[in-house]
Amino acid sequence: GNSVTQMEGPVTLSEEAFLTINCTYTATGYPSLFWYVQYPGEGLQLLLKATKADDKGSNKGFEATYRKETTSFHLEKGSVQVSDSAVYFCALMTGFQKLVFGTGTRLLVSP
Amino acid sequence: NAGVTQTPKFQVLKTGQSMTLQCAQDMNHNSMYWYRQDPGMGLRLIYYSASEGTTDKGEVPNGYNVSRLNKREFSLRLESAAPSQTSVYFCASSAGDLAGTEAFFGQGTRLTVV
């Protein structure tokens, strides 16, 4: 079946450090790929997405590239801020519009 | 600009009690979803509705029922609550007609079954 694997957290960084959160997937066909972010006490909101191979999604300084050959969609940011502290979920969507999520990675950024 | 609204936000139930979680969206979306979020498990799909009048099981449907009352509303019912259903429940909706369509989430319902 379809699945998403994310690196376990928490990821602890100092402000202005470089961030990578790894995500790999297993899916039949050609899924769309997403990163969602969840701030404390809130629901999830879309951070970025990519719908086909080699697409790069970007938003708020975050980037991720859809790599079909390695079935990966790693999230990166060049310089994190304290306000980026949240839980990040990688997800894929296949037919019938079902979103499948990874387990989430908590990011903690200290001043 | 409400988006997806869930009620209630918090609920405590005794084992065996029943309750319905309500969800409404005002974005004219076709597809709606119910997920549960548990520590270390991510979000798991309980049920979804691809369009008004249809519902389908997700990954963890046992112990739950759903109703797509109309295009706006999608409710989740626990007929006989069990402690294993203690979780945070999220409703979501999406236009559902294009690849990569964004899903919008409600604020969640934190349910504790004692």
Side-chain angles (χ1 to χ4, degrees), chain A residues 7-34:
Chain A
M7 61 188 290
E8 293 210 12
V11 173
T12 305
L13 295 172
S14 298
E15 205 164 25
E16 300 183 0
F18 185 85
L19 168 71
T20 300
I21 300 178
N22 290 335
C23 170
T24 57
Y25 68 89
T26 301
T28 54
Y30 302 96
S32 297
L33 301 174
F34 304 82

Side-chain angles (χ1 to χ4, degrees), chain A residues 37-58:
Chain A
V37 59
Q38 183 180 32
Y39 298 103
E42 298 185 9
L44 281 71
Q45 53 186 279
L46 180 68
L47 181 60
L48 54 83
K49 69 179 183 183
T51 58
K52 62 183 187 297
D54 300 323
D55 268 2
K56 177 185 282 187
S58 61

